[in-house]
């Protein structure tokens, strides 16, 4: 499996990490300084694909780079990338072409006997067992190399860590792979993809919401920190994850459709399905086209080998798949030997949706709950979770996508105009605000006499908010009740997750996007004491200490006896950021559980 980076030239084949790292190592210091600009100039360039499977990238008038991927479609050897210039293979053109291509995942080894376990998180091959004494000396050294490369990336920040820093991280990731550190290698490749997205002009808006980048760096630093300390936990090693082939047919039920609008003008749809055990699967159709394509994809045909249907029908119906191949993230793959047959669906009342809690481990990708509408709040809707024992915690329902081609905003406005209505909601918790849910679909709350939605029978008691349009006929004839004042709800919604703990989150994210210099600013800020005091008043004494310590370490610049800059203390800065990020994650997870389960 390979994953293409949105925004890169779509026709470039994926490149193995070690190939790009070796190419950067072969460049002179002068050419390394020019590499970032060269990669940016090629990132928007389409390659010419020849009938023999090669790709040609024109670099000016005198240089042509030719990429010749192997049978897997991936560049796995330096000999598969050639340039016609005189400096080749140690030339800027060839290295820039490799840097503009997406990073390939390591090819999994051949799987002899397919396991017959779960499919939401497919069972990997047996993890490499650690001896009782902990990781080997070679694994510790590999972890130390990854830690050093990751610490340099953290100090530079996402937008400043260019191709050379990426190459160092990729080289360390390859060393980790050779040492058998699969989890650390995967975390490193994930960080590199975030680095490339942040530096891509078409994906620059992602930096404004860096929650995923923070999570990627936290995972890499935490795993390598524990490994280089010889932590004997076998989970730190990880395992090579294979595509899963379940024994017997898969009986799946459609749940909803999710519009996908990504950077690089990507658009499409995800159809979510579950099996009888509650494991989640997806059918994906994403390609260039933006929001307009996302709108059209909701009713477009979907093919699973010889089976042909459409996403709307599947989201309300079902599927029986024999010979299924499931990716680690739950995607159904149209591999040879797969056969699919349409089957009856299941009403939402037959599903057990998980409430929002800590979205880690094997937790399902979507969150479900029953809510009572309180009032409109601009494009969003204020509501309270229905716990069955009286009013529950406050929640804000916000549009998953605001583009006019999709129906999220119009449908939420219609729901907000009907206070007192009870609805079942399925969506995603906003990673930047845990009291905000971005709903993908809604349905009626079962029960006699409930003031709830009345949807057409062929909708199977659900409306996909991005595609289906709610109208007057779907609502009770009379309004359930007068709209209560939104002021008390707004006050209740101001959870400690958002204030004052948000000060810690802002600093952690600023350090990732802007680097060490940006993280040092709060230490120079005259309001630094006020930030710490607000955290202490909110009961976050440890958060206040970590907030102050991270800013202080970021601002520290070691000097020798003559006042000249001395060796940088990247290890201490990375360790302090990691401690703050781990504290933030754990505290927010505890608060999230309290907010959704009290």
């Amino acid at each position: 499996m390979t994953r293409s980076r949105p925004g890169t030239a779509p026709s470039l084949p994926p490149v193995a990490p070690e190939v790009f790292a070796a190419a950067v190592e072969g460049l002179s210091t002068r050419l390394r300084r020019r590499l970032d600009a060269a990669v940016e100039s090629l990132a928007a360039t389409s390659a010419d694909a020849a009938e023999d499977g090669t790709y040609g990238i024109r670099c000016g008038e005198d240089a042509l780079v030719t990429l010749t991927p192997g049978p897997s479609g991936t560049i796995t050897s330096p000999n598969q990338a050639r340039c016609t210039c005189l400096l080749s293979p140690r030339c800027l053109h060839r290295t820039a072409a490799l840097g503009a291509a997406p990073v390939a995942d390591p090819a999994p080894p051949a799987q002899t006997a397919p396991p017959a376990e779960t499919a939401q998180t497919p069972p990997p091959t047996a993890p490499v067992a650690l001896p009782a004494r902990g990781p080997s000396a070679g694994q510790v050294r590999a972890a130390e190399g990854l830690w050093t490369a990751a610490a340099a990336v953290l100090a530079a920040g996402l937008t400043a860590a260019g191709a050379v820093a990426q190459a160092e991280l990729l080289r360390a990731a390859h060393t980790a792979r050779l040492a058998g550190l699969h989890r650390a290698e995967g975390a490193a490749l994930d960080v590199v993809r975030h680095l490339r997205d942040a530096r891509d002009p078409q994906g620059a808006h992602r930096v404004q919401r860096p929650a995923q980048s923070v999570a990627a760096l936290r995972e890499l630093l935490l795993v390598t920190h524990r490994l280089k300390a010889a932590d004997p936990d076998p989970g730190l090693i990880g395992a090579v994850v294979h595509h899963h082939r379940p024994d017997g047919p898969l009986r799946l039920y459609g749940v909803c459709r999710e519009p996908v609008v990504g950077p690089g003008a990507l658009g499409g749809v995800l159809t979510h399905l579950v099996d009888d055990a509650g494991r989640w699967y997806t059918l994906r159709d994403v390609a260039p086209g933006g929001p307009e394509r996302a709108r059209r994809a909701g009713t477009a045909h979907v093919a699973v080998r010889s089976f042909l249907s459409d996403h709307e029908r599947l989201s309300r119906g079902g599927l029986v798949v024999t010979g299924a191949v499931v990716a680690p993230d739950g995607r159904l793959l149209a591999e040879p030997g797969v056969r699919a047959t349409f089957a009856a669906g299941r009403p939402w009342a037959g599903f057990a949706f998980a409430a929002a809690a800590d979205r880690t481990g094997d937790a399902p990708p979507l969150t479900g709950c029953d809510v009572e509408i309180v009032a409109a709040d601009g494009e969003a809707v204020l509501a309270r979770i229905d716990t069955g024992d009286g009013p529950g915690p406050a929640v804000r329902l916000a549009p998953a996508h605001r583009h006019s081609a999709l129906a999220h905003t119009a449908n939420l406005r219609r729901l907000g105009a009907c206070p007192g209505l009870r609805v079942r909601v399925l969506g995603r918790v906003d990673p930047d605000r845990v009291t905000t849910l971005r709903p993908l679909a809604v349905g009626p709350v079962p029960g006699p006499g409930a003031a709830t939605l009345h949807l057409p029978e062929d909708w199977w008691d659900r409306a996909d908010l991005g595609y289906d349009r709610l109208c007057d006929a779907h609502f009770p004839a009379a309004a359930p009740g007068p709209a209560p004042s939104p002021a008390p709800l707004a006050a209740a919604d101001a959870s400690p997750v958002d204030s004052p703990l948000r000060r810690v989150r802002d600093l952690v994210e600023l350090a990732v996007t802007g680097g060490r210099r940006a993280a040092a600013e709060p230490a120079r800020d005259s309001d630094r004491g006020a930030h710490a005091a607000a955290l202490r008043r909110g009961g976050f004494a440890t958060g206040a200490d970590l907030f102050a310590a991270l800013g202080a370490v970021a601002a520290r610049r070691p000097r020798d006896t003559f006042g000249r800059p001395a060796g940088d203390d990247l290890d201490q800065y990375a360790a302090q950021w990691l401690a703050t990020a781990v504290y933030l994650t754990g505290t927010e997870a505890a608060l999230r559980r309290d907010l959704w389960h009290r």
Side-chain angles (χ1 to χ4, degrees):
M1 177 183 65
T2 60
R3 288 181 286 184
S4 297
R5 168 172 72 94
T8 16
S11 56
L12 293 179
V15 174
E18 63 273 17
V19 174
F20 175 61
V24 174
E25 187 176 13
L27 292 181
S28 65
T29 303
R30 179 180 64 87
L31 292 180
R32 288 190 185 191
R33 287 195 291 264
R34 298 169 51 190
L35 180 57
D36 287 334
V39 170
E40 288 183 13
S41 67
L42 288 182
T45 302
S46 296
D48 297 325
E51 293 183 359
D52 60 357
T54 62
Y55 297 78
I57 304 101
R58 177 64 63 181
C59 303
E61 297 181 358
D62 302 325
L64 175 66
V65 177
T66 303
L67 302 180
T68 309
S72 65
T74 300
I75 302 295
T76 57
S77 168
N79 294 331
Q80 293 174 320
R82 300 178 181 274
C83 181
T84 58
C85 78
L86 296 178
L87 293 179
S88 182
R90 299 188 175 189
C91 67
L92 186 63
H93 313 112
R94 174 178 174 274
T95 307
L98 294 173
V103 179
D105 283 334
Q111 184 172 334
T112 55
E117 299 290 341
T118 66
Q120 162 60 23
T121 304
T125 55
V128 180
L130 284 176
R133 65 182 180 276
S136 67
Q139 289 174 328
V140 170
R141 287 193 298 271
E144 289 173 345
L146 259 181
W147 167 272
T148 300
V153 165
L154 176 66
L158 287 180
T159 56
V164 174
Q166 296 170 27
E168 292 296 329
L169 194 54
L170 290 174
R171 181 183 296 107
H174 181 60
T175 302
R177 182 191 186 193
L178 296 178
L181 301 179
H182 306 295
R183 180 177 171 184
E185 181 205 12
L189 298 185
D190 196 26
V191 169
V192 171
R193 293 187 180 100
H194 282 282
L195 289 172
R196 293 191 173 187
D197 286 345
R199 295 178 61 84
D200 193 314
Q202 296 180 351
H205 66 280
R206 286 188 172 191
V207 181
Q208 299 173 8
R209 296 183 60 185
Q212 292 183 339
S213 299
V214 169
L217 259 175
R218 184 186 64 241
E219 163 74 1
L220 176 57
L221 287 171
L222 181 59
V223 170
T224 53
H225 179 75
R226 293 177 62 187
L227 282 170
K228 71 189 185 73
D231 190 323
D233 183 359
L236 298 173
I237 295 294
V240 177
V241 181
H242 302 276
H243 295 332
H244 173 45
R245 289 184 178 270
D247 279 354
L250 282 179
R251 178 63 168 96
L252 306 178
Y253 304 91
V255 177
C256 69
R257 292 168 292 168
E258 177 183 4
V260 176
V261 180
L266 292 177
V269 64
L270 283 178
T271 293
H272 295 271
L273 308 102
V274 296
D275 63 12
D276 289 313
R279 292 179 290 258
W280 291 76
Y281 304 79
T282 58
L283 278 170
R284 176 184 176 92
D285 176 14
V286 179
E292 289 294 338
R293 189 185 188 281
R295 177 184 59 81
R296 297 191 303 271
T299 54
H301 287 161
V302 55
V304 181
R305 304 302 294 177
S306 60
F307 171 77
L308 184 65
S309 184
D310 61 78
H311 286 277
E312 182 177 17
R313 187 179 181 220
L314 282 179
S315 68
R316 294 185 167 104
L319 201 62
V320 176
V321 186
T322 58
V325 180
V326 187
D329 59 1
R331 284 180 297 118
L332 295 170
L333 305 177
E335 299 285 346
V338 176
R339 297 290 183 270
T341 306
F342 187 81
R346 175 187 288 177
W348 267 16
F351 297 134
F353 296 132
D358 188 5
R359 313 254 33 106
T360 58
D362 295 336
L366 303 181
T367 289
C369 58
D370 294 344
V371 303
E372 181 177 341
I373 304 298
V374 174
D377 182 26
E379 293 182 343
V381 174
L382 300 179
R384 284 197 179 277
I385 296 178
D386 185 357
T387 62
D389 299 320
V395 64
R396 177 175 281 104
L397 308 179
H401 296 290
R402 289 184 169 85
H403 197 278
S404 58
L406 302 170
H408 295 97
T409 301
N411 283 329
L412 285 181
R413 285 200 186 105
R414 189 65 185 83
L415 290 169
C418 197
L421 185 75
R422 296 175 64 209
V423 293
R424 178 159 292 177
V425 179
L426 186 67
R428 298 185 185 276
V429 176
D430 190 315
D432 290 337
R433 187 169 189 182
V434 296
T435 53
T436 294
L437 187 68
R438 298 193 178 272
L440 303 176
V442 295
V445 174
T452 189
L453 294 171
H454 303 294
L455 300 178
E457 185 177 346
D458 59 354
W459 283 18
W460 279 78
D461 70 11
R462 72 202 69 168
D464 295 327
L465 293 180
Y467 297 108
D468 301 319
R469 296 273 179 172
L470 296 175
C471 63
D472 291 345
H474 301 149
F475 291 82
S485 170
L489 183 62
D493 191 44
S495 72
V497 173
D498 298 292
S499 177
L501 194 61
R502 187 175 185 89
R503 302 166 197 263
V504 180
R505 188 192 318 156
D506 289 343
L507 181 59
V508 167
E509 293 178 350
L510 181 64
V512 169
T513 57
R516 183 170 182 168
R517 291 184 180 274
E521 291 304 315
R524 305 186 183 98
D525 190 351
S526 59
D527 293 333
R528 178 174 44 132
H531 293 321
L535 284 163
R536 294 185 188 280
R537 285 195 302 271
F540 302 105
T542 302
D545 294 339
L546 290 170
F547 180 92
L550 179 56
V553 173
R556 185 183 305 141
R557 291 293 184 269
R559 302 272 178 177
D560 61 17
T561 55
F562 299 100
R564 298 172 300 194
D568 209 348
D569 54 345
L570 291 183
D571 279 358
Q572 185 177 1
Y573 172 67
Q576 187 63 57
W577 180 88
L578 177 60
T580 308
V582 169
Y583 162 82
L584 177 67
T585 301
T587 305
E588 286 191 334
L591 291 169
R592 186 182 299 118
R593 286 191 295 269
D594 178 66
L595 284 168
W596 288 86
H597 293 298
R598 59 184 169 147

